[in-house]
């Protein structure tokens, strides 16, 4: 039989603190003892399918306890464990992030949860660099929320026109209307790219994120549904102002030097 702390830890161990707190608030305000309703509330609040499945296991294990805690008691446990984890992460300079098969030798942060944590913690500005964005609904929703709280968002993407067929759509269109209207989006034009002897130009292959010049995310993962759920991807999440600031200043300089050009919004 699993202990209550083990059950709670499996649910919130790699969730951003804001998301875990939201789940706790839902349970705290829930007086209906119906287990199906509790599961519905948790799953509705979680965009990622894998985490929804974790919520199903959480409800099943909670329900199976000899003396299950009340919804309010469980809410307090969720919030307490999440706060303890957040404080522990705050002391860590670097965390590995991962999408792919689980290993018995390590327990790495999920790629999407690490990136969402970076976005949630931003209070002034966010830089996102990715080859492509496609069906990354949870990430785009987090960016929209960041824009709504006044965070300035800069996104650098590969250009569909320069990608030689690798991207079949205009880069800015993949962001969705809400983010597209609130973010500045830049591409690397063909005229600004070096070419080899055969005339082939390079690709914008970097994937990175920076929040407020203090936290940095570097990964192999693009902002796509596959990269966040089924690919094998690895990266790092760093609370290091020196590195985060260097990444941010580097891309600001590329923009100022007009190596990166802003994409005009559709009228």
């Amino acid at each position: 039989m699993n202990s209550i702390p083990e059950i709670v830890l499996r649910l919130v161990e790699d969730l951003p603190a804001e998301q875990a707190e939201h789940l706790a608030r839902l349970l705290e305000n829930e007086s209906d003892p119906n287990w199906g309703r509790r599961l519905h509330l948790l799953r509705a609040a979680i965009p990622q399918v894998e985490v929804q499945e974790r919520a199903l296991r959480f409800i099943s294990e909670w329900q199976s306890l000899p003396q299950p805690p009340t919804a309010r008691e469980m809410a307090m446990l969720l919030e307490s464990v999440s706060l303890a984890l957040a404080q522990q992460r705050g002391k860590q300079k670097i965390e590995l992030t991962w999408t792919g098969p689980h290993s018995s030798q390590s327990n790495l942060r999920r790629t999407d949860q690490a990136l969402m944590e970076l976005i949630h913690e931003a209070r002034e500005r966010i830089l996102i660099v990715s080859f492509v964005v496609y069906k990354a609904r949870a990430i785009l929703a987090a960016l929209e929320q960041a824009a709504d709280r006044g965070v300035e968002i800069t996104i650098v993407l590969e250009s569909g026109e320069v990608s030689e067929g690798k991207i079949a759509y205009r880069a800015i269109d993949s962001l969705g209307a809400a983010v597209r209207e609130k973010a500045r989006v830049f591409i690397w034009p063909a005229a600004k790219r070096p070419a080899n002897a055969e005339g082939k130009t390079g690709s914008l292959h970097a994937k990175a994120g920076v929040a407020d010049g203090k936290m940095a995310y570097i990964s192999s993962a693009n902002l796509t549904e596959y990269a966040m759920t089924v690919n094998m991807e690895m990266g790092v999440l760093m609370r290091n102002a020196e590195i985060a600031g260097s990444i941010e200043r580097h891309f600001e300089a590329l923009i100022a030097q007009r190596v990166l050009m802003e994409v005009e919004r559709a009228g």
Side-chain angles (χ1 to χ4, degrees):
M1 175 71 68
N2 292 303
S3 67
I4 295 174
E6 288 173 329
I7 292 171
V8 173
L9 180 61
R10 274 196 292 270
L11 178 65
V12 302
E13 62 184 344
D14 61 0
L15 293 182
E18 292 83 357
Q19 194 170 31
E21 184 178 349
H22 180 53
L23 297 181
R25 294 285 76 78
L26 288 175
L27 290 179
E28 186 177 51
N29 297 323
E30 179 55 37
S31 59
D32 190 339
N34 183 280
W35 292 101
R37 174 169 169 75
R38 289 174 181 172
L39 176 61
H40 172 74
L41 286 171
L42 294 184
R43 293 182 67 179
I46 299 170
Q48 300 91 347
V49 173
E50 182 177 326
V51 187
Q52 289 178 356
E53 293 172 352
R54 199 190 305 170
L56 175 61
R57 180 180 178 183
F58 168 74
I59 290 292
S60 175
E61 293 178 335
W62 176 12
Q63 182 181 12
S64 300
L65 291 170
Q67 293 181 309
T70 66
R72 179 162 293 190
E73 289 169 340
M74 189 58 84
M76 293 177 62
L77 288 166
L78 288 179
E79 196 165 12
S80 298
V81 172
S82 177
L83 178 61
L85 289 172
Q87 290 179 339
Q88 181 185 35
R89 289 171 190 147
K91 297 175 182 177
Q92 295 177 340
K93 297 292 186 181
I94 299 178
E95 291 182 86
L96 287 174
T97 68
W98 175 256
T99 303
H102 294 290
S103 163
S104 61
Q105 300 302 310
S106 61
N107 186 25
L108 306 180
R109 293 291 305 279
R110 278 172 51 98
T111 297
D112 54 351
Q113 300 298 347
L115 183 54
M116 286 176 65
E117 180 175 314
L118 179 145
I119 296 170
H120 284 316
E121 290 196 15
R123 292 296 176 265
E124 298 178 8
R125 59 194 183 277
I126 295 171
L127 167 69
I128 297 290
V129 183
S130 182
F131 178 79
V132 68
V133 175
Y134 187 66
K135 290 186 177 180
R137 289 181 288 271
I139 303 300
L140 294 178
L143 286 172
E144 184 180 353
Q145 291 169 7
D148 289 342
R149 63 177 183 266
V151 176
E152 178 184 303
I153 299 173
T154 300
I155 301 176
V156 182
L157 297 174
E158 177 62 298
S159 167
E161 293 77 12
V162 187
S163 69
E164 297 182 342
K166 296 175 184 175
I167 302 176
Y169 46 84
R170 211 167 71 102
I172 195 170
D173 294 336
S174 63
L175 297 173
V179 174
R180 188 167 62 237
E181 292 169 3
K182 298 172 182 176
R184 294 192 308 156
V185 182
F186 294 84
I187 62 168
W188 186 21
K192 301 290 185 176
R193 303 187 185 204
N196 64 14
E198 289 75 38
K200 297 289 186 181
T201 58
S203 295
L204 192 158
H205 211 254
K207 296 96 174 179
V210 178
D212 297 336
K214 299 176 181 178
M215 183 186 298
Y217 161 89
I218 302 173
S219 175
S220 63
N222 285 305
L223 297 189
T224 67
E225 183 178 28
Y226 281 122
M228 299 296 159
T229 58
V230 298
N231 285 357
M232 190 177 286
E233 310 277 3
M234 180 169 274
V236 292
L237 180 66
M238 296 172 282
R239 297 175 184 276
N240 185 307
E242 182 178 355
I243 293 176
S246 294
I247 296 171
E248 188 176 59
R249 290 190 296 272
H250 178 68
F251 279 92
E252 286 174 351
L254 292 178
I255 290 170
Q257 294 163 200
R258 300 181 67 80
V259 174
L260 300 174
M261 303 291 291
E262 188 165 5
V263 178
E264 292 185 7
R265 295 176 174 88

